[in-house]
Amino acid sequence: MWFFYTPVVVTVDPQINFNWGTGLITPTGADYISIRWSGKLKTLYAEAYTFYTSSDDGVRLWVDNVPLIDRWDSYTNDTSATIALKANVFYTIKMEYKELTGNAYVTLSYSSPS
């Protein structure tokens, strides 16, 4: 819970787009779960990129170690933030999610003018 212990599951997810409902998130847990994703995003254009998160409980997002979204203590999160990025660069992405109780869902997406 909240990154205090050794991870129960380590996996590679090609995207963050999950809706567990009230089912299990890990093999044995549905509530009081924390998840951390990290990876890279390669941009194609030098322009502003808008990142969108949607979740039922807390979420935080960093792009290139810049905190963009911090809704960790919110219960309903549909939010966005914009950052200017350069073309043809690999940027580090980190997103954290916490599930308290009840329905569980989380998504991450992004867009740019191009």
Side-chain angles (χ1 to χ4, degrees):
M1 185 172 107
W2 311 171
F3 311 109
F4 293 136
Y5 306 105
T6 302
V8 174
V9 177
V10 176
T11 184
V12 175
D13 297 317
Q15 61 183 341
I16 300 172
N17 184 10
F18 296 95
N19 187 344
W20 297 280
T22 57
L24 294 176
I25 297 172
T26 70
T28 59
D31 296 324
Y32 301 104
I33 303 289
S34 55
I35 302 171
R36 179 179 293 130
W37 289 276
S38 60
K40 300 283 186 181
L41 169 70
K42 184 178 182 191
T43 56
L44 296 177
Y45 307 99
E47 57 192 10
Y49 287 77
T50 302
F51 290 83
Y52 306 89
T53 62
S54 180
S55 67
D56 66 311
D57 288 323
V59 67
R60 295 187 283 219
L61 175 69
W62 294 262
V63 175
D64 202 31
N65 296 316
V66 174
L68 284 188
I69 295 172
D70 186 354
R71 300 289 301 268
W72 196 245
D73 294 319
S74 298
Y75 292 99
T76 302
N77 295 311
D78 294 315
T79 192
S80 64
T82 301
I83 186 171
L85 301 177
K86 298 176 184 177
N88 298 310
V89 174
F90 282 98
Y91 287 96
T92 300
I93 303 282
K94 181 172 80 170
M95 183 167 157
E96 295 179 341
Y97 165 73
K98 73 175 177 181
E99 164 57 20
L100 297 173
T101 61
N103 284 325
Y105 66 89
V106 62
T107 64
L108 171 65
S109 59
Y110 69 94
S111 68
S112 74
S114 297

